[in-house]
């Protein structure tokens, strides 16, 4: 299936969120969509960055919650149209994928699987051992956690429901390491730690920051979340957007990125290109390099003024 591929440069949060919404509208409403009317593909993948560093709140988060996160108080902020915890967008690669539901690319779980599985495969090209949070995390054994210390300095990882790239279960041992500013986090990256229980590494489903939470399918490196996605549907279309945490930000120092966890410094443009190769194969897509149309730019500007740049939206009480 021919699919538009848009690679945007850094932009502010209001514009980034507005463009995603405009693209969702473009592919919506099936055969009567804007895309269908002008003969464009009914799916589009967009990669982008953020400048300046920006905090995005999840749809259901109260605006008052951001006051409790001191490190990001000086950042501009926006509210996403999708749920989940807050994300500090700084040293990361962000994507959005908008598609007409009628395209038949699978259910919402199939798209999560496609993007996250291929991300794991792509990271492996740099020697980065990543895996995904299993649907039903097993109980960990051999270690207890209290504050920032672990009673037993080693952790025995038990067989997980998910498989590694080699097609075998992940079994082994790893040394627990601490990242400054947060609880003891993960098995040592040097031993190629695969998924461990989301209850470890200080994961907290009520945490303010999304990357301190764990959901089934999230991408982990050394037990720490480095990739996640969210979805929303609207008028016959689906939007999935997600982030890959490349490096730690001074505005969220409690979150290590891939660079801190593994020592691998990934070029976001190279990551994007290699990821696209695997996505195309997985989903049966053929990329058409593209940019925003003039009508999409005008629509995004209007959405930015009326919604994402509005205090009534950003500071709303869900």
């Amino acid at each position: 299936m021919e699919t538009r591929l848009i690679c945007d440069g850094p932009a502010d949060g209001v514009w980034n969120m507005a463009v995603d919404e405009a693209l969702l509208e473009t592919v919506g409403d099936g055969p009567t969509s804007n895309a269908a009317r002008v003969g464009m593909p009914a799916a589009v993948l967009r990669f982008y960055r953020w400048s300046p560093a920006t905090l995005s709140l999840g749809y259901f988060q109260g605006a008052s919650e951001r006051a409790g996160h001191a490190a990001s108080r000086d950042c501009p902020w926006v509210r996403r149209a999708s749920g989940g915890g807050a994300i500090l967008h700084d040293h990361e690669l962000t994507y959005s994928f908008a598609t007409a539901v009628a395209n038949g690319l699978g259910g919402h779980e199939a798209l999560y699987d496609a993007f996250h599985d291929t991300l794991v495969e792509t990271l492996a090209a740099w020697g980065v051992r990543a895996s995904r949070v299993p649907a039903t995390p097993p109980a960990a054994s051999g270690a207890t956690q209290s504050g920032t210390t672990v009673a037993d300095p080693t952790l025995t990882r038990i067989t997980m429901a998910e498989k590694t790239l080699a097609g075998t279960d992940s079994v082994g041992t790893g040394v627990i390491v601490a990242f400054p500013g947060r609880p003891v986090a993960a098995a040592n990256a040097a031993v190629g730690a695969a998924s461990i229980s989301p209850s470890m590494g200080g994961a907290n489903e009520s945490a303010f920051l999304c990357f301190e939470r764990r959901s089934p399918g999230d991408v982990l490196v050394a037990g720490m979340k480095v990739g996640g996605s969210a979805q929303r549907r609207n008028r016959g279309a689906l939007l999935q957007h997600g982030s890959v945490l490349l490096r730690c930000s001074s505005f969220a120092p409690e979150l290590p990125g891939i660079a801190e966890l593994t020592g691998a410094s990934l070029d976001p443009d190279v990551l994007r290109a290699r990821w696209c190769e695997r996505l195309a194969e997985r989903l049966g897509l053929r990329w058409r390099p593209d940019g925003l149309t003039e009508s999409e730019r005008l629509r995004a500007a209007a959405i930015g003024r009326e919604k994402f740049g509005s205090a009534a939206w950003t500071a709303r009480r869900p």
Side-chain angles (χ1 to χ4, degrees):
M1 184 178 71
E2 188 177 47
T3 301
R4 298 168 68 195
L5 176 62
I6 298 176
C7 301
D8 281 340
D12 63 40
V14 170
W15 179 252
N16 277 334
M17 294 296 91
V19 170
D20 278 357
E21 185 129 326
L23 293 175
L24 179 64
E25 291 183 2
T26 292
V27 303
D29 287 341
T32 65
S33 68
N34 295 333
R37 283 194 290 272
V38 297
M40 287 195 303
V44 55
L45 174 62
R46 174 179 175 243
F47 287 95
Y48 55 96
R49 308 287 299 279
W50 302 67
S51 181
T54 301
L55 182 79
S56 72
L57 288 183
Y59 179 84
F60 296 102
Q61 287 187 296
S64 61
E65 292 184 45
R66 76 174 304 241
H69 190 251
S72 65
R73 285 178 190 166
D74 292 333
C75 287
W77 58 300
V78 293
R79 181 182 296 280
R80 302 191 307 274
S82 59
I87 301 176
L88 198 290
H89 304 278
D90 193 1
H91 304 303
E92 63 165 34
L93 178 64
T94 308
Y95 80 88
S96 66
F97 183 70
T99 180
V101 174
N103 280 338
L105 291 175
H108 66 280
E109 290 184 359
L111 275 181
Y112 277 131
D113 288 343
F115 275 84
H116 290 191
D117 285 347
T118 54
L119 176 59
V120 169
E121 295 167 4
T122 303
L123 291 175
W126 278 276
V128 174
R129 295 286 302 276
S131 59
R132 300 179 59 195
V133 175
T136 305
S141 63
T144 59
Q145 188 169 322
S146 176
T148 59
T149 62
V150 171
D152 183 345
T154 63
L155 166 70
T156 300
R157 295 196 306 275
I158 60 178
T159 300
M160 313 299 278
E162 63 179 342
K163 305 292 184 179
T164 66
L165 294 177
T168 57
D169 292 323
S170 173
V171 186
T173 60
V175 179
I176 294 295
V177 296
F179 188 80
R182 63 167 301 126
V184 168
N188 194 317
V191 298
S195 292
I196 60 175
S197 169
S199 65
M200 307 185 71
N204 181 351
E205 293 309 307
S206 63
F208 174 68
L209 294 174
C210 178
F211 278 80
E212 289 191 310
R213 304 182 183 188
R214 301 289 185 276
S215 297
D218 285 344
V219 176
L220 306 180
V221 169
M224 300 298 295
K225 181 175 176 178
V226 298
S229 300
Q231 293 180 347
R232 60 169 296 211
R233 288 189 179 223
N234 183 48
R235 298 165 56 190
L238 181 148
L239 173 70
Q240 177 170 309
H241 55 191
S243 300
V244 182
L245 188 56
L246 303 178
R247 287 192 292 118
C248 182
S249 170
S250 61
F251 299 107
E254 63 269 56
L255 298 177
I258 293 172
E260 288 76 28
L261 293 167
T262 69
S265 182
L266 308 188
D267 183 310
D269 293 331
V270 177
L271 173 61
R272 181 203 71 221
R274 293 182 180 177
W275 195 3
C276 281
E277 292 175 3
R278 289 175 170 83
L279 278 168
E281 182 177 357
R282 172 71 175 258
L283 293 172
L285 306 178
R286 184 177 69 258
W287 303 122
R288 187 178 100 178
D290 206 355
L292 297 178
T293 65
E294 184 61 23
S295 63
E296 287 169 338
R297 287 187 178 278
L298 292 173
R299 182 59 185 142
I303 293 172
R305 289 192 304 270
E306 299 164 7
K307 185 173 182 179
F308 295 106
S310 164
W313 167 264
T314 306
R316 64 188 291 271
R317 297 169 61 92

